[in-house]
Structure formats: structure tokens, C-alpha cells
Amino acid sequence: MRHILSILLENEAGALSRVVGLFSARGYNIDSLTVSTTEDPTLSRMTIVTSGSDDVIEQITKQLNKLIEVVKVIDLNESDHVERELMLIKVRATGKDREEMKRMADIFRGRILDVTEKTYTIELTGESSKLDAFIEAVDRTLILETVRTGASGIGRGERILKI
Amino acid sequence: MEISGAEIVTRCLQEEGVEFVFGYPGGAVLEIYDAIFKQDKFKHVLVRHEQGAVHAADGYSRSSQKVGVALVTSGPGATNAITGIATAYLDSIPMVVISGQVPTPAIGLDAFQEVDMVGITRPCVKHNILVKDVRDLAASMKKAFHIATTGRPGPVVIDIPKDVTIAKAEFHYPQSVSLRSYTPPSKGHPGQIKKAVNLLADAKRPLIYIGGGAVLSNASNQVTELVKMLGVPAVNTLMGLGAFSGSDPQNLGMLGMHGLYEANMAMQHADVVIAIGARFDDRVISSPSHFLSSPKKIVHIDIDPSSIAKRVKVDIPIVGNVRDVLDEMLGLLRQTGAKPAAEPLAAWWKQLQEWRSHDCLKFDLDSEIIKPQFVVQKLYEVTGGEAFITSDVGQHQMWAAQYYKFNKPRRWINSGGLGTMGFGLPSAMGVQLANPDATVACITGEASIQMNIQELSTCKQYHTPVKIINLNNRYLGMVRQWQEFFYGNRYSESYMDALPDFVKLAEAYGHVGMKIERPADVEPALREAMKLKERLVFMDFITDQKENVFPMVQNNRGLSQMDLPPHMRHLQTGTVAKERDYGNLS
Ligand SMILES: Cc1cc2nc3c(=O)[nH]c(=O)nc-3n(C[C@H](O)[C@H](O)[C@H](O)COP(=O)(O)OP(=O)(O)OC[C@H]3O[C@@H](n4cnc5c(N)ncnc54)[C@H](O)[C@@H]3O)c2cc1C
Ligand SMILES: Cc1ncc(C[n+]2csc(CCOP(=O)(O)OP(=O)(O)O)c2C)c(N)n1
Ligand SMILES: [Mg+2]
């Protein structure tokens, strides 16, 4: 099953590679990974989307906690959460496709960031599945380039991940 | 007053009360060596190969409870240390390895003798630190010692660029460290401990399963009290030997791939298993599904949550330090008087004694060739069971574990997790330095000993009178055994031709050499060697080439489906490993 792990870790050189190294060394999947510093510059927040049986997810969580620089780990799937991913997608937009692309962007609440005679660059945010749906919905041959950030997530309501 | 980074390193080591640093110099650490030259609080032991330094630090630590310290130069010095570091990591040994690094401005430029030590060691250390600023050095050293020795112990590498050893800073050694991201547990959850006690009281076929964590936690007294108070049987892993006396009648001995028949049968058939710092390793329980096919409840005490429910689901996990958890458990047992019911326990013991009565370790005592088991047995007798025994990896290691009864913890020093040939001699050096008056023997094979034979020279320089017990079968015996069992006797590259004359070799290094070829000479030779208290004696025992280690649990078989020694074949379940044909051996 797909899980979103949220990790608070020391913002130190090498901490990221420890996390990534752990996943490759133990054969865990990484579907996506995002990381950046938090409001407290000594801490980074990382979101990893992974998949595996409950036993595997339990081991991943334990192994992450074992890393000296990891402060906290939560599995966002354990309760309500919000998840967002950003995608920048460049599409061919000529002739009748131009109008159609604009319409699709509107339906998906995307924003057109950059326009040339032949292309649109569209910004889309949403759950990863929504971004997948957009890619499915447009004609594949018109997609020139996609860039996705991977999912970020946060608990709903009062639930927070802090030290 | 400001002092150099190199002096900070030596001052930190002094502050930590380090007695010995095992190391080897080179360009990147020359400043540190200069600082060592100018101090006399700790001794430096110059090994002959960096792997030897790390194993020596490891043996020092295992036999003394103190942290081992090694010092190596950048590049090849650092890479030579890797096997030693991984060995310590897999057996959870507290160790600090200081490696030199090229100067910070040169990092990343493929400088002379540059390797990314932090990158290379990441998967085989508990933690590692590259120190980029001399002002962080003392705090980083403190952190390294703190992390290495607390929680589940392990090796920590501290990589110090040469310019950092030259730069100057004020020296303040922090008295303590607190890391918000690292807070190892000690006490177990009281509710869980209570549940465990209740489970024990209801058990019909209880078993205490003792692992390396009991040794690491110095919980021998607690473990012994628990077993004695409850009157229940105990088994030990290879790493747990000695935590509970090997000659106690309640000890069924080692379990696992080469465990004793009674120990493996007990583990398979127990209804309540209390795992104490043991991690259900694949060489111990073999196939988890077969292991759980006889229903049982499991209590697992371990300081590392990731050891729990990794291979086997447990019913009552208790995260904590063995010693603290057992103290609490014992308190509760005393208070409540809870105990397994007498009648079923007596029936369980009856069954256990029946399994034990087959004497699975019986071997041919009338042999005209020296049986390796016989040598270990005699060594046990001659040393009164009091020696520190290090070992290498192979058949000899298993015979040492099976036939030397370890009655005290930290007397059995071997590489269980990584299975590192070449561990025995350098670790024995470390053991001897930690215990100068003790008898230290290294049980090895003619192949393993050659992997770090150069350390004979270090032993000469530092007067470590180790007794080397070379069980010389002219084979990579353990490999040969597998080839015999699983590869149709095709002994591919497992015979070693052109062995050195070990007696002359020992003499060349300035030691005493003995060659022993007849069973009748075994005991007198051992006695003679032990009399040479000040000398390293290399005892080359020419042993039976054909001997195999029994019992043996084949991969993916269940614990109770052992291949049994010839005198127990009538009890064999499942097909016997291919019957042997010694045609080609002579
Ligand atoms: C040729 C060969 C054959 C082998 N055959 C066998 C065999 O037949 N039988 C066998 O048993 N092994 C055998 N081994 C060894 C095997 O590979 C493992 O190394 C060993 O079984 C692991 O022992 P352990 O479970 O006690 O765990 P260890 O590796 O000793 O781990 C200790 C556990 O205790 C925990 N711990 C550490 N400190 C504490 C503390 N203070 N408090 C609480 N918990 C703590 C750790 O987190 C860890 O989970 C063999 C090895 C070789 C090389
Ligand atoms: C460094 C290393 N290389 C290879 C092995 C695989 N291996 C395990 S036991 C063994 C044979 C050991 O031979 P010897 O030291 O003579 O011991 P014996 O089994 O004959 O008692 C080998 C090659 C290992 N454990 N370690
Ligand atoms: Mg051999």
C-alpha cells in the first residue's frame, strides 16, 4: 500500500544521503521524496512516498528513527491529512489543441505560467492522483515536458509534527 | 589557550579515559601522531595492517566493556579499516574509529589518498561525522563516544581533515551531550513487563533465549537469576554464550544452524519464548514460517525497536535495556511469586532430558587422528574454563562454540554477524592488552589465520602472549562441508595447497611454534604451552580433514529438521544431507 512518511531531521550535511542510502540499502521503494528546511533553520522536513506491506512500513519507520539525525517520523496515512504535489507541464498548444489545452487547465484548476506561439507551460497542484489524471486526460503526444515535485503532506486539524 | 586540532584529539581521548589506541600512521594523521608522541596518558599500539587495528580495538572492547579506539590515515588506511568496522557494526560493538582526511580545500578534488570515508562507511556504522571546523572537534569527539556506547552500541567513524588537525582552537571537553534526535530507551514499559510475567506464569513449556544483547548489557547476573528463580531451561545464541553459565544444568547450550539438538528442539517446541537481546537471526531460527508452525507466544526484550518484529512477529515487545528490564521483571516475580506451574514444567524437563540424553556432541574418542573437537575439549580442561577465547570463522569456530563451555560473559570473542575470517588473532591481541594476566587463546583454522598473520609481529612488539590453537585440516573446512553436503563433493577451490610451516613461521616472528600430530600429545602440549606464560605459542594441530560440524540445519529447513551426527541418524527427520563419500580425501 502507498504510504506518506513525514520526517523531521537535523538540517545537517549528509543527513539526506543517510535517508536515501537506507532506502536503497534495505531495498525499500521511494516513489517520491521532497525535502526542505522548516521555519526552524536547524531542521529539515522530508516527505517520502513509499509503498509496502504493513510490516515493511513498520520496519521503514523504525529504521528511519534509528538514524541519529532523524528527530521524528510519522506515517501520515495513520490519520487525516492533506497532500499536495506541484507539477509544471509544458504542452504543445497549436491550432485546435490550443483552446482544448486552456480548457483542460481550467478544469484541473491549473494556471498557465508561460505562453509561446506553440506552447503553454501549466502549473498544477493537487494530490498526486490528480496530476496523474491530468496527464491521462491530455493527448500524450502533446506533452513536451513534465516536472513534478513529489508529494508534500501535513496532518489535518490539530495534528502537528514538531519537536 | 588555543591548542591544535591534533592535540584536541589526544586530549579528548585522555578525557574519555582511553588506555589504548590501535592504529597505523600516514600523511593525513601525522599531526595527530605528533601529538601522541608528546603525551603519555594512553598507549598507541602499532599494528601491521589497519584491519588488525580495528579488530584489536574490537576485541579490547568485547572483553573489557570499554570502548575500542582505532586510528587510521586517509585513503588506503581508511579502506583497510572497513572490514573491521563492518564486523563491529554487525555485532553491535562500541568503537570509535578516527580516520584522517585530506585537507578541507582538497575534498572532492580526487586529492592524493582521498576517499569519501563518510560515504563509504555510511551503511556499516552507527554514525559518522566529518569534522570541518576545529571549533567543532571536541564536541564531535564527545558525540562519537556518546553514540558509540549508548543504546544499541556500534562503531562511530570520525573523519578529520588534515587542516583541521593543524588549526587551533580553545579546548573545552563537554561533560555530557544531549541530542534531541537521539534518546535511547533504558527502562521497559511496565505494562508490557507485567504482561510478560503473566505469560511466563501460564507457560507450560517456557524457554529463555539469550542473545548478545544480554552480554552487551552486562546483565549476566539478572539473566542467571531469572533462569534460576523460575527453574526453566535456557538456550544461547552464538553471541550470547557466557551470559548464563555454559555448565549450568539448566543451560541447553547454543541453538541455531550448528546448535545442539536439545537446544533446537526446545526452541521449536516451547510454548513461551522470552528473547533477551537476541534478534531471531536467520542462522538461529532458520525458516520463520517453520519456526512459528508450532504455536508459541514470544516476548522480545531489545533496546533497538527495529530488531523487534523484523523476522518474527512477537506478542509482547519490550523496548529497553536488558538489565533494566530484567531488574524490573525480577522485582515483579519476587513480589508476586509468579512461576510456571510445576507439573507441566516437570514434563517439559523430562522431554528436554530425553533430547539431551542423545549426547549430540559425542565424537570418536578413539581416533588415531586428532579430532578438532578433542582439542577444544582439552583446551577447556587445561584452562579450567577460565580463558578468553577468540576465534576466526569456519568449522573451528563452531567447535569452539560447542565444546568450550563459557561460564562467564565476555570470554567468547568472535565475529558472528559478519563472519570475518582474520578476526581471531588481532582481536586476541586486544583482549590480551585489556586483560594482561589472563590466558587468551585464539582458536583458528589454517586459512583464517593467514588472513591477518602479519599481526604476529605486533604481538611480538607488545608482548601479548596469545596461545594460537590452529585446527589445521588443510581445508577451508566449512566451505568443504557445504560442498560435500550440497555440491556433490566437488571441492571447488576449498583445498589449500602449499601451506607454510607454521612452526617455522612462528619462530621467524620470534615466537614459539609447536606441531602436534597425535591425540596423545594434545593435552601435554597444551599444558606445556600454558606454562610459557610470557610467550606467544603457535600450536599447529594437524586434525582430521574429514570432520564435519553437527548438528546442522540446512537453509530453509526448520530448526527441528537438523542433519544429525552419525550416532543419531535414527532420529533424523527429512532427508539427510547427501551421504558422504570421502573417496578423494586423504
Ligand atoms: C559460520 C557461522 C555459523 C553460525 N552459526 C550460528 C548458530 O548456529 N547459532 C547462532 O546462534 N548463531 C550462529 N552464527 C551467528 C549469527 O550469524 C548471528 O551473528 C547471531 O546468531 C546473532 O546473535 P544474537 O541474536 O544474539 O544477536 P546479536 O547480533 O548479538 O545482537 C544483539 C541484539 O541485542 C540488542 N541489544 C544490544 N544491546 C542491548 C541492550 N543493552 N539491551 C537490550 N538489547 C540490546 C541489539 O539491538 C540486537 O538486537 C553463525 C555465524 C557464523 C559466521
Ligand atoms: C573474509 C572471509 N572470506 C571468506 C569467508 C567464507 N568462509 C567461511 S568459513 C571459510 C573457511 C575457513 O577455513 P579455515 O579457517 O581453515 O577454517 P575451517 O573451516 O577449516 O575450520 C570461508 C572461506 C569468510 N567467512 N570470510
Ligand atoms: Mg581449515
Side-chain angles (χ1 to χ4, degrees):
Chain A
M1 206 182 101
R2 178 175 182 270
H3 285 253
I4 307 180
L5 302 179
S6 229
I7 304 161
L8 213 50
L9 71 166
E10 297 290 352
N11 184 13
E12 278 172 17
L16 170 65
S17 52
R18 274 184 227 282
V19 173
V20 176
L22 171 71
F23 274 74
S24 64
R26 293 188 182 264
Y28 307 142
N29 302 314
I30 298 185
D31 294 336
S32 76
L33 181 155
T34 70
V35 60
S36 190
T37 52
T38 64
E39 78 284 1
D40 172 352
T42 66
L43 287 171
S44 299
R45 171 85 172 239
M46 186 184 281
T47 310
I48 293 184
V49 178
T50 182
S51 54
S53 64
D54 288 352
D55 291 350
V56 170
I57 300 297
E58 185 183 330
Q59 261 300 312
I60 294 177
T61 311
K62 287 173 169 178
Q63 293 292 348
L64 283 169
N65 269 311
K66 209 166 138 174
L67 296 176
I68 305 293
E69 284 142 345
V70 168
V71 185
K72 261 186 188 166
V73 182
I74 57 167
D75 181 351
L76 287 175
N77 289 45
E78 279 172 2
S79 61
D80 270 359
H81 63 276
V82 191
E83 172 193 339
R84 285 293 177 272
E85 182 176 358
L86 169 71
M87 173 166 73
L88 301 177
I89 179 165
K90 190 173 289 184
V91 291
R92 184 158 310 287
T94 51
K96 64 172 179 18
D97 294 333
R98 201 164 173 89
E99 190 47 35
E100 174 63 10
M101 275 302 171
K102 170 105 182 44
R103 220 170 52 83
M104 288 299 287
D106 286 343
I107 292 172
F108 280 82
R109 295 181 194 282
R111 286 205 303 148
I112 296 176
L113 298 181
D114 186 41
V115 179
T116 69
E117 266 173 39
K118 290 184 184 152
T119 66
Y120 282 150
T121 299
I122 305 167
E123 169 196 323
L124 278 166
T125 54
E127 293 193 358
S128 306
S129 55
K130 171 179 154 182
L131 308 187
D132 296 341
F134 182 84
I135 291 173
E136 285 302 313
V138 301
D139 182 346
R140 273 298 165 95
T141 59
L142 299 179
I143 300 177
L144 301 173
E145 196 178 351
T146 58
V147 187
R148 297 174 66 154
T149 57
S152 291
I154 197 164
R156 272 194 194 274
E158 302 292 310
R159 191 175 182 228
I160 51 176
L161 175 61
K162 254 202 143 111
I163 48 170
Chain B
M1 196 189 76
E2 295 201 325
I3 59 174
S4 73
E7 283 171 275
I8 290 177
V9 171
T10 56
R11 290 282 295 276
C12 292
L13 295 174
Q14 293 168 0
E15 291 281 340
E16 286 294 333
V18 170
E19 286 180 294
F20 292 102
V21 170
F22 301 89
Y24 208 93
V29 286
L30 284 180
E31 296 287 330
I32 299 177
Y33 272 87
D34 198 43
I36 289 176
F37 188 86
K38 295 176 189 155
Q39 64 87 50
D40 58 5
K41 291 234 174 70
F42 62 81
K43 293 195 191 65
H44 180 273
V45 176
L46 177 66
V47 294
R48 301 300 183 259
H49 185 293
E50 289 86 351
Q51 185 185 348
V54 184
H55 289 329
D58 185 324
Y60 174 85
S61 172
R62 291 188 204 224
S63 65
S64 71
Q65 313 178 15
K66 294 180 203 147
V67 55
V69 179
L71 170 60
V72 299
T73 191
S74 70
T79 53
N80 272 352
I82 303 291
T83 303
I85 295 169
T87 302
Y89 180 65
L90 276 150
D91 290 342
S92 307
I93 305 306
M95 180 185 291
V96 172
V97 178
I98 302 166
S99 53
Q101 184 53 279
V102 301
T104 40
I107 290 178
L109 301 179
D110 303 318
F112 176 64
Q113 295 195 327
E114 177 182 4
V115 294
D116 173 10
M117 185 61 167
V118 163
I120 282 186
T121 56
R122 194 180 297 120
C124 60
V125 291
K126 182 168 175 189
H127 195 57
N128 56 24
I129 304 167
L130 169 64
V131 184
K132 286 190 164 161
D133 186 330
V134 69
R135 285 164 302 181
D136 298 335
L137 184 53
S140 299
M141 289 286 288
K142 181 77 200 175
K143 198 168 146 183
F145 277 90
H146 174 66
I147 292 172
T149 51
T150 50
R152 179 178 185 166
V156 176
V157 165
I158 174 155
D159 198 32
I160 312 178
K162 186 162 187 181
D163 56 329
V164 173
T165 65
I166 296 170
K168 293 192 166 181
E170 289 286 340
F171 176 65
H172 298 290
Y173 199 61
Q175 282 312 300
S176 63
V177 244
S178 103
L179 299 168
R180 60 182 172 186
S181 60
Y182 173 71
T183 47
S186 58
K187 290 205 177 328
H189 190 285
Q192 295 290 89
I193 295 175
K194 205 164 176 180
K195 276 197 221 162
V197 165
N198 292 340
L199 189 64
L200 259 176
D202 284 342
K204 296 193 170 57
R205 297 183 306 280
L207 182 69
I208 311 284
Y209 155 48
I210 305 163
V215 176
L216 292 164
S217 172
N218 300 315
S220 189
N221 291 343
Q222 284 80 353
V223 170
T224 305
E225 194 178 341
L226 181 73
V227 180
K228 292 275 137 199
M229 184 190 278
L230 297 172
V232 298
V235 293
N236 331 255
T237 67
L238 181 71
M239 304 311 289
L241 294 174
F244 175 52
S245 173
S247 37
D248 191 289
Q250 277 168 257
N251 197 335
L252 302 177
M254 182 170 85
L255 83 166
M257 176 179 271
H258 291 299
L260 272 60
Y261 179 68
E262 50 270 38
N264 285 346
M265 294 301 273
M267 186 70 162
Q268 183 63 30
H269 296 286
D271 71 339
V272 171
V273 172
I274 314 281
I276 303 180
R279 55 189 174 85
F280 295 92
D281 187 77
D282 48 314
R283 289 224 152 172
V284 173
I285 58 153
S286 201
S287 139
S289 57
H290 183 274
F291 174 59
L292 295 174
S293 67
S294 336
K296 48 176 72 69
K297 295 265 188 242
I298 299 174
V299 178
H300 192 170
I301 306 169
D302 204 295
I303 203 161
D304 178 357
S306 77
S307 280
I308 299 179
K310 182 167 66 179
R311 298 194 71 238
V312 165
K313 271 218 169 5
V314 304
D315 301 277
I316 306 180
I318 304 177
V319 178
N321 182 19
V322 164
R323 199 152 50 136
D324 294 313
V325 171
L326 289 188
D327 273 337
E328 182 143 357
M329 196 178 268
L330 287 165
L332 204 59
L333 284 166
R334 270 186 233 112
Q335 195 189 322
T336 59
K339 245 185 182 167
E343 223 169 286
L345 186 59
W348 178 224
W349 269 114
K350 191 157 170 258
Q351 172 67 76
L352 296 168
Q353 300 298 12
E354 195 276 320
W355 285 329
R356 191 182 246 171
S357 68
H358 299 289
D359 192 5
C360 70
L361 295 183
K362 193 158 77 186
F363 62 93
D364 179 8
L365 281 169
D366 304 323
S367 164
E368 284 178 12
I369 324 169
I370 299 176
K371 291 285 181 186
Q373 301 96 319
F374 180 69
V375 179
V376 179
Q377 225 169 42
K378 285 293 160 203
L379 179 68
Y380 175 72
E381 289 171 23
V382 168
T383 56
E386 287 288 322
F388 286 81
I389 307 288
T390 74
S391 121
D392 270 299
V393 173
Q395 292 184 315
H396 61 272
Q397 176 191 22
M398 294 298 109
W399 287 316
Q402 292 176 334
Y403 291 85
Y404 200 99
K405 305 273 171 260
F406 293 94
N407 298 327
K408 291 183 184 155
R410 298 188 179 275
R411 296 283 163 115
W412 167 238
I413 315 285
N414 83 134
S415 163
L418 197 68
T420 309
M421 288 171 70
F423 176 79
L425 177 58
S427 64
M429 247 160 44
V431 173
Q432 187 78 76
L433 288 168
N435 304 275
D437 301 324
T439 301
V440 180
C442 164
I443 298 181
T444 184
E446 78 297 331
S448 290
I449 190 68
Q450 293 190 74
M451 285 218 176
N452 271 317
I453 192 87
Q454 76 286 346
E455 298 307 326
L456 283 175
S457 173
T458 316
C459 288
K460 182 69 187 167
Q461 183 169 349
Y462 297 92
H463 311 290
T464 50
V466 172
K467 305 296 179 277
I468 296 174
I469 311 294
N470 188 35
L471 300 180
N472 186 345
N473 55 8
R474 285 81 75 211
Y475 270 100
L476 305 177
M478 187 55 94
V479 173
R480 198 221 72 222
Q481 176 167 347
W482 282 55
Q483 290 172 336
E484 186 178 310
F485 283 18
F486 312 120
Y487 297 94
N489 288 337
R490 290 181 298 281
Y491 299 141
S492 177
E493 306 298 323
S494 55
Y495 178 69
M496 209 177 262
D497 210 345
L499 285 170
D501 177 334
F502 286 110
V503 172
K504 280 194 190 148
L505 185 81
E507 288 168 358
Y509 277 105
H511 301 302
V512 179
M514 291 181 182
K515 183 170 181 174
I516 303 96
E517 296 181 272
R518 293 184 315 152
D521 297 336
V522 170
E523 186 174 337
L526 282 167
R527 292 202 183 277
E528 191 186 329
M530 295 305 158
K531 277 193 208 132
L532 299 173
K533 284 213 176 321
E534 307 299 319
R535 302 296 301 271
L536 183 149
V537 184
F538 193 117
M539 309 188 72
D540 189 20
F541 291 93
I542 308 304
T543 60
D544 189 345
Q545 292 190 282
K546 309 167 201 165
E547 201 60 33
N548 284 328
V549 184
F550 286 110
M552 173 164 183
V553 182
Q554 298 182 33
N555 280 345
N556 301 319
R557 285 245 181 119
L559 253 187
S560 55
Q561 300 166 322
M562 289 159 269
D563 281 2
L564 294 169
H567 75 277
M568 287 175 73
R569 286 289 151 78
H570 60 289
L571 295 168
Q572 181 83 40
T573 55
T575 41
V576 192
K578 194 190 153 311
E579 280 299 331
R580 291 167 293 162
D581 159 19
Y582 298 129
N584 307 333
L585 279 166
S586 59

